[in-house]
Amino acid sequence: METRMRITKLGAVAAVCVTVGWQQAEAHVSFATSNVVAETTTIISLQVPHGCDGQSTNEVRVSLPEGFVFAKPQPKAGWQLEIIKGDYAKAYDDHGTKVTSGPVEIRWKGGDLPDAFYGTFNVQGKVSGVEPGQRLAFATVQVCGDKTASWTDVARDGVEPHSLKNPAPTLLVTAGESSGQGGHDHAAMHMGGGENGAAKPDQTEAFKVGDLTVTGAYAKAMLPGQPVGGGYLVISNAGAAGDRLVLATSPAAGAVEIHEMAMQGETMKMRKLGDGIAIPAGETVELKPGGLHLMFTKVKTPFKQGDSVPLTLTFEKAGNVDIRLPVNSMAPAGQHE
């Protein structure tokens, strides 16, 4: 409980530190849909409709309420992603495993969302242990340079959330089908580790260039309208000298970035690797969910299961190799909700 309490205090401090002179806009930060279904995995889409007093939004922090568990955020091109983990108030069942801790706050940082535009920030999670009729409040802090807007006011029972000055975005938990995203949807970019990650296709095709062999390549199916997708593969170096993956390109995307996700204390951070990935001599490097991976940005047509994605890999010594990534289901292995 200690970690969750620390993060909750952070949100409270941010609410106090709203810069003087910030003029509240008419539109609040809210969700694209108003309902979520109890005991199902869903994708929630937070809408940020404006900046702070005309300034661009550079950071969005979302505190996850108790009962919204196993969260996996969708990366955004040009933004750094941090997942802060902490203790749950109780244990939750994850396909037979009791889980007592997980993500409790998501932060998208270092971006640039101009005041003239709106943006969406998506998170997959499971609604668990919450009775239908209750509301889940997601306290949200919006940072715009030296200004801060805190959407952290939570309504008491019987009070309309929109009557508050700075209402936290809320979702009503229902027992039936929800409108919009919900029910059985799963995130297209699964952030779990290898053993709990996405089900990998049975890939035996190998692509060779120099002393390097690329196997096990696949991409993840995407949601309609989603601009970002993930790609994974295995690179083996049978040579006596090391090499380096320095570039990836695809006609299916505006850009392909090489990323790494890693835990730093209680925070999982994703960063772009500007110098690529080293492939040591005689070793194998795996790009997989929750670790090293490729991020397809500005995707022209969302990847669909059964399709394949063309990709060119450029290595420092071995040169270029053209491969294709079969598109795998977006559902994580073992999930049948």
Side-chain angles (χ1 to χ4, degrees), residues 269-285:
K269 295 186 177 183
M270 182 176 70
R271 64 189 182 99
K272 179 181 177 180
L273 300 178
D275 57 352
I277 299 174
I279 316 295
E283 296 189 17
T284 296
V285 176

Side-chain angles (χ1 to χ4, degrees), residues 136-282:
L136 293 176
F138 295 73
T140 301
V141 176
Q142 182 182 356
V143 180
C144 311
D146 60 351
K147 296 182 182 293
T148 303
S150 294
W151 309 99
T152 54
D153 294 345
V154 179
R156 300 187 302 273
D157 290 343
V159 176
E160 170 57 40
H162 289 287
S163 68
L164 303 175
K165 181 179 180 181
N166 298 296
T170 62
L171 292 169
L172 177 64
V173 179
T174 67
E177 294 184 356
S178 66
S179 60
Q181 301 174 26
H184 303 283
D185 287 339
H186 297 278
M189 292 276 298
H190 181 67
M191 294 298 166
E195 67 276 12
N196 295 319
K200 297 180 181 180
D202 181 17
Q203 286 298 318
T204 57
E205 187 172 8
F207 304 89
K208 295 185 66 67
V209 56
D211 294 320
L212 306 178
T213 303
V214 180
T215 57
Y218 70 102
K220 299 293 294 298
M222 300 167 61
L223 296 171
Q226 182 180 342
V228 178
Y232 315 94
L233 47 86
V234 178
I235 306 170
S236 298
N237 186 352
D243 208 330
R244 179 176 292 274
L245 175 63
V246 294
L247 181 67
T249 58
S250 173
V256 183
E257 300 177 353
I258 303 171
H259 282 233
E260 178 186 45
M261 292 195 72
M263 290 297 299
Q264 295 184 11
E266 292 292 330
T267 302
M268 177 174 284
K269 295 186 177 183
M270 182 176 70
R271 64 189 182 99
K272 179 181 177 180
L273 300 178
D275 57 352
I277 299 174
I279 316 295

